[in-house]
Amino acid sequence: MAILKKFTENNIDSLVVCGGDGAGKAAYLLSEMGLDTLLIPMTIDNNIYGSEYTIGYYTALESIRTCIQRIHQTGHNMPGRVFMIETFGGDSGQLTLASALYCGADIAIIPERKFDIQKITNRIKEVLKRKQQCIILCCEASFLSKEYHLGDQSASSEVGKKITEVTKERVRYTILGYCQRAGDPEIADIEKALFMGYYAGVALLNRITRQMIGIKDNEVIFIPLEDISSKKKELDQNNCILAEQLKII
């Protein structure tokens, strides 16, 4: 109620929230209190229900691609190495899986899929027989021994130690951390953000609220805030199928 009071005092009758899962829940609660509220999904994790895309996703993918490319180049000078790169994504493997597919990693470890260390080590041996290095992407939530809490890091180290125990191969670690959230935006992010912002303005002018502005089949759509607050986004099934065929997951 204190928030609503501040809005009233400042003659603000509508709010457009830009953010991820937590921001979406807050937007829903404010809308339930009577404030005209819209949400524009803005998170590199791309884990918001109802939209195929969230602002920042493509820019983060490009940041990860740059890292993987440099690791590839390093691997050519250090043959036989196993590299483990830890990516963001919260408790969703959406970003990690897409990065592995689009950016040239060999294995993706994500929280939605139970992973077997022996299976992973067998895959590493298979990759090293035909390539100079093996690159593994590990989502920050993929802990073996504990439940993930927001902000936790070094899941990759835990998994990597188990890999070393089985293979006797030393794992080289890179935790990308907050550099994934920075950098100049990719043109695809700029384009979609422009359209989403425009339609948010149109919605407010037409008194359409309690909605999220999303993207589906490259078109702008509206999703009720209640849905995005209560439902979890599933992994992209096309990415899952392709990753399985390529033995990435």
Side-chain angles (χ1 to χ4, degrees), residues 55-106:
I55 295 171
Y57 178 59
Y58 292 131
T59 301
L61 282 173
E62 180 60 23
S63 176
I64 297 168
R65 185 199 67 79
T66 300
C67 173
I68 293 176
Q69 182 179 34
R70 289 174 178 172
I71 295 293
H72 268 301
Q73 292 167 352
T74 296
H76 286 302
N77 298 316
M78 301 173 67
R81 265 58 169 193
V82 177
F83 297 96
M84 177 89 75
I85 303 172
E86 185 172 315
T87 58
F88 271 167
D91 59 0
S92 167
Q94 204 86 249
L95 179 66
T96 306
L97 180 59
S99 298
L101 277 170
Y102 308 155
C103 306
D106 302 294

